[in-house]
Amino acid sequence: MPLPPRSLIWLTFFLLFLASPPSYGFYLPGSYPHKYRIGDPLYVKVNSLTSIDTEMPFSYYSLPFCRPLEGIKDSAENLGELLMGDRIENSPYLFRMFTNESDLILCRTDSLTASDLALLKKRIDEMYQVNVLLENLPAIRYTTKEDLVLRWTGYPIGVRVGDSHFIFNHLKFTVLVHKYEEPATVAAASANSAVATSEGGRDVPGYMVVGFEVIPCSYQHDTESIKNLKMYDHYPTKIQCEPTTVAMAVKEKQPLAFTYEVSFVESDIRWPSRWDAYLKMEGAKVHWFSILNSLMVIAFLAGIVLLILLRTVRRDLTRYEELDKEAQAQMNEELSGWKLVVGDVFRAPGNATLLCLMVGDGVQILGMAVVTILFAALGFMSPASRGTLVTGMIFFYLILGIAAGYAAVRLWKTIKCGDHSGWMSISWKVACFFPGITFIILTTLNFLLWGSQSTGAIPFSLFIILLLLWFCISVPLTLIGGYLGAKASHVEFPVRTNQIPREIPPQKYPSWLLVLGAGTLPFGTLFIELFFIMSSLWMGRVYYVFGFLFIVLILLVVVCAEVSLVLTYMHLCVEDWKWWWKSFFSSGSVAIYIFLYSVNYLVFDLKSLSGPVSATLYLGYSLFMAVAIMLATGTVGFLSSFWFVHYLFSSVKLD
């Protein structure tokens, strides 16, 4: 088959350059504070309504809330925000820097219709939260429970007391500000102009936003008294609102009134530390000590496994190589264990094409995970840059298509003993295998979200963009990687394969039982960290200990390699030469335990998850995550076992 022309390679890199996000210089989160002078307007934005009961986000303006005078406008959102269901829009809430205001009228809505009332009650029962943003900071709410201070982002729409539903219609905002400080990079660059600035005139004091807090209240407004008042006018009387009491019940054919107040407090919090309040996770001590304990236990077990393995293999090799030729010939007649399968150990596995596809996609997924978590650990993907984590994962996945094509085609060429015919077909299939699984799962779940009119549904236009990114970037790069794999030399087997396969003796225990049980050890490396990840995904908590996650990922790779290596050696010792697929699934079986843990988390931790649609969404996303983990961990196990078997049979001379 003819190789792709060089122009195709240049065209692919040109498309990749066009699709890459624009860069305006070296950016670290928190490097560019915005300076506001006293009296400058501050615009509050709103995000989708969210609930841990349904896990389905909805638009803020799907409920009868006040709308901005200039109309609803969507903020510019990146790919990650859209995929996560974020819909950031403008709101009528308006502040003036360092200007305290109280009893401001937002609006008086029309009388509630029966459908509006039913929807509002439903959202209150489902515990939906309103998410408001100021300078990209979500509003944080503090509550106390048994002398513990709990932090929440957003505030509930309302609360149900008995048979009545009450709405939080008065908001007490507190904006924490700090005197403006030039970032270090900007300050150094502008040092030369400091004298000119001081001579030209007096510096105007400025402030930057470093905190945003909200206290929701339910206040019984006199809707008739504000009927003729406009937005931002003052309420006729002083609003005394207590957050521990509720008063504004929602009823049919009655309007709602919304008011707010805002106060500014000068804080010692500096700009780089303004996210600290969001990153203080409850149970921090338990989190740190549990992770450290898990790392120590896994490192200890991995050391023992490696020690036993090296001692066993070295003893066998030493005993065999110390014999002379006559003794070796005599010993060959009495051989047992892995030495008897020398003529079958490199026999091509069944479904070799599928194995190559799974290994290629596993290399791509593992590389994406390592690079993304590393960048996040270095601080390039902080919560300040909303959606960058998901965007980065997609970007790195597209780039690493070249690694997927290379690994799959080179493995195919190795299995075929140097014959690279069919490399184009392998490249196409590896480019479509995991994306095809992803497309099927996400499309099925998307139909459920579309039917529920949730903002979590991927828009059709975004579907087209994702398909174009896959077809214009991932597929060409995978073909280029396949071309490089076809040109690279294959791995030569150290021994010849017999024409007639050797019969595998009956085993005491079924091999699949050992393969399934092997996944427990890799699962032990991440089940504690998995709890925090699941809490971040489904409980609305912020996850930002990517340094620990990177360490856990490295340990997971090491343990997967060692477990697969040990099981491969055990199978060879009982003359079972069909190790290819078993080495893949011995470490890849950890995905089964992760999916079962997800089911356990659904039953015992997400008890309030309501409705079959929400449960289906949860299980669908969990299945997608399990498939990706299976491909990545299975690839680690297979590659380590392949290296081990090749090293083992090339280190001893068998006549």
Side-chain angles (χ1 to χ4, degrees):
M1 183 172 292
L3 298 177
R6 186 170 300 179
S7 59
L8 176 61
I9 300 177
W10 287 109
L11 178 61
T12 301
F13 282 107
F14 177 72
L15 291 173
L16 181 64
F17 173 77
L18 292 180
S20 61
S23 175
Y24 302 100
F26 187 72
Y27 171 79
L28 285 175
S31 300
Y32 297 101
H34 192 283
K35 180 180 179 180
Y36 292 95
R37 297 180 176 87
I38 296 177
D40 284 352
L42 296 174
Y43 298 99
V44 178
K45 297 182 179 181
V46 291
N47 203 345
S48 300
L49 305 173
T50 56
S51 170
I52 61 174
D53 274 17
T54 65
E55 302 298 345
M56 289 189 295
F58 290 96
S59 172
Y60 174 83
Y61 293 108
S62 63
L63 294 180
F65 291 137
C66 301
R67 297 169 180 258
L69 297 175
E70 66 274 16
I72 301 172
K73 299 178 182 178
D74 292 333
S75 298
E77 295 166 331
N78 57 41
L79 187 61
E81 288 178 302
L82 293 174
L83 290 175
M84 293 298 291
D86 289 340
R87 295 295 184 272
I88 301 177
E89 300 164 311
N90 60 332
S91 79
Y93 292 102
L94 177 65
F95 307 154
R96 300 285 177 182
M97 173 55 75
F98 231 115
T99 304
N100 297 337
E101 295 181 290
S102 61
D103 310 329
L104 292 177
I105 297 173
L106 201 60
C107 78
R108 174 184 180 271
T109 67
D110 296 331
S111 299
L112 293 178
T113 63
S115 58
D116 288 339
L117 179 63
L119 182 60
L120 193 56
K121 287 183 176 181
K122 182 181 178 182
R123 296 290 181 258
I124 292 175
D125 289 337
E126 291 172 340
M127 300 176 61
Y128 268 87
Q129 302 276 324
V130 178
N131 300 291
V132 291
L133 307 170
L134 179 64
E135 276 288 282
N136 206 28
L137 285 176
I140 195 169
R141 176 171 56 94
Y142 293 95
T143 60
T144 56
K145 182 179 180 180
E146 298 178 357
D147 297 331
L148 293 176
V149 178
L150 303 179
R151 302 174 183 85
W152 309 88
T153 54
Y155 63 91
I157 295 174
V159 63
R160 179 175 180 175
V161 180
D163 295 331
S164 301
H165 293 76
F166 297 87
I167 190 171
F168 291 119
N169 59 338
H170 179 78
L171 301 180
K172 301 171 67 173
F173 292 107
T174 301
V175 181
L176 306 181
V177 296
H178 188 82
K179 286 187 178 180
Y180 181 77
E181 298 174 351
E182 291 282 358
T185 54
V186 179
S190 59
N192 296 331
S193 61
V195 177
T197 303
S198 60
E199 292 176 355
R202 184 171 53 87
D203 290 339
V204 178
Y207 294 89
M208 48 191 176
V209 178
V210 294
F212 187 35
E213 301 173 3
V214 63
I215 299 176
C217 303
S218 179
Y219 184 77
Q220 182 64 54
H221 292 102
D222 183 3
T223 55
E224 290 299 322
S225 65
I226 63 172
K227 188 175 182 179
N228 297 322
L229 296 180
K230 298 180 180 179
M231 187 177 290
Y232 309 125
D233 287 343
H234 288 273
Y235 194 75
T237 60
K238 179 67 177 176
I239 298 178
Q240 298 291 338
C241 186
E242 293 294 332
T244 56
T245 61
V246 290
M248 187 64 185
V250 291
K251 299 178 182 179
E252 188 177 355
K253 297 181 179 179
Q254 288 190 5
L256 298 175
F258 292 89
T259 55
Y260 72 98
E261 58 185 275
V262 58
S263 60
F264 289 81
V265 177
E266 190 166 354
S267 172
D268 294 333
I269 300 175
R270 300 170 67 89
W271 176 265
S273 304
R274 67 180 193 149
W275 277 91
D276 288 356
Y278 303 87
L279 304 180
K280 292 178 181 178
M281 303 172 63
E282 282 71 25
K285 292 184 179 179
V286 176
H287 177 81
W288 288 85
F289 283 110
S290 297
I291 294 298
L292 289 175
N293 179 68
S294 178
L295 297 180
M296 292 173 63
V297 171
I298 295 304
F300 177 71
L301 292 176
I304 292 178
V305 170
L306 187 60
L307 180 62
I308 293 175
L309 178 66
L310 291 179
R311 290 185 61 184
T312 304
V313 175
R314 180 169 296 184
R315 184 183 63 220
D316 285 349
L317 291 176
T318 303
R319 284 180 55 198
Y320 189 84
E321 292 178 351
E322 287 178 351
L323 300 176
D324 54 21
K325 291 185 178 181
E326 294 182 2
Q328 286 184 13
Q330 182 180 359
M331 186 176 179
N332 286 340
E333 298 177 358
E334 303 174 356
L335 284 180
S336 62
W338 59 270
K339 308 174 196 67
L340 289 175
V341 297
V342 62
D344 299 275
V345 69
F346 290 107
R347 189 177 302 279
N351 297 318
T353 300
L354 181 60
L355 179 63
C356 294
L357 302 185
M358 296 177 75
V359 170
D361 280 325
V363 169
Q364 188 175 10
I365 295 170
L366 181 64
M368 173 203 69
V370 171
V371 176
T372 302
I373 296 175
L374 178 61
F375 271 77
L378 294 175
F380 289 96
M381 298 178 182
S382 73
S385 305
R386 195 181 307 275
T388 54
L389 187 64
V390 177
T391 305
M393 291 175 64
I394 295 175
F395 178 76
F396 291 131
Y397 180 83
L398 295 174
I399 293 293
L400 290 171
I402 192 170
Y406 178 85
V409 170
R410 193 174 182 198
L411 178 59
W412 170 260
K413 186 177 179 180
T414 298
I415 293 176
K416 296 298 181 181
C417 299
D419 182 14
H420 68 270
S421 61
W423 70 269
M424 181 73 76
S425 175
I426 295 294
S427 300
W428 269 104
K429 290 177 181 178
V430 76
C432 300
F433 181 69
F434 181 70
I437 296 175
T438 303
F439 181 80
I440 293 173
I441 295 177
L442 293 185
T443 302
T444 303
L445 299 179
N446 218 46
F447 277 120
L448 297 177
L449 291 170
W450 272 335
S452 303
Q453 298 181 341
S454 169
T455 58
I458 301 175
F460 181 76
S461 59
L462 184 58
F463 251 118
I464 300 300
I465 293 175
L466 292 175
L467 288 175
L468 288 176
L469 287 176
W470 168 75
F471 186 77
C472 296
I473 298 179
S474 182
V475 171
L477 285 177
T478 306
L479 293 175
I480 293 174
Y483 166 73
L484 297 177
K487 297 292 290 182
S489 60
H490 69 285
V491 180
E492 296 185 0
F493 298 142
V495 293
R496 294 189 300 270
T497 301
N498 297 333
Q499 293 184 355
I500 301 176
R502 179 185 179 87
E503 183 179 356
I504 300 174
Q507 307 298 323
K508 187 175 181 180
Y509 302 102
S511 58
W512 62 266
L513 191 61
L514 291 175
V515 170
L516 290 179
T520 56
L521 190 56
F523 179 72
T525 64
L526 53 82
F527 81 96
I528 295 177
E529 196 69 21
L530 193 61
F531 171 79
F532 291 95
I533 296 174
M534 299 290 281
S535 299
S536 173
L537 290 174
W538 304 108
M539 301 292 285
R541 299 174 184 172
V542 179
Y543 184 89
Y544 201 57
V545 284
F546 289 104
F548 270 108
L549 183 59
F550 184 75
I551 296 175
V552 169
L553 178 63
I554 298 301
L555 281 179
L556 176 65
V557 170
V558 173
V559 173
C560 284
E562 292 176 345
V563 166
S564 179
L565 189 146
V566 170
L567 246 72
T568 299
Y569 182 72
M570 291 175 60
H571 283 109
L572 293 178
C573 285
V574 295
E575 304 176 31
D576 185 357
W577 47 268
K578 296 182 178 180
W579 59 271
W580 299 75
W581 281 106
K582 292 171 185 175
S583 65
F584 186 94
F585 286 112
S586 59
S587 56
S589 61
V590 66
I592 298 176
Y593 298 97
I594 291 176
F595 185 76
L596 292 177
Y597 180 85
S598 301
V599 175
N600 174 81
Y601 190 85
L602 171 64
V603 174
F604 294 101
D605 292 277
L606 293 179
K607 298 177 182 178
S608 59
L609 196 66
S610 59
V613 175
S614 299
T616 303
L617 289 172
Y618 174 84
L619 293 176
Y621 288 126
S622 299
L623 177 62
F624 168 72
M625 181 177 66
V627 171
I629 292 175
M630 181 200 68
L631 293 175
T633 55
T635 297
V636 172
F638 171 78
L639 293 179
S640 61
S641 293
F642 184 85
W643 170 84
F644 169 72
V645 173
H646 188 276
Y647 172 78
L648 181 62
F649 285 90
S650 62
S651 300
V652 63
K653 298 179 181 179
L654 294 171
D655 295 331

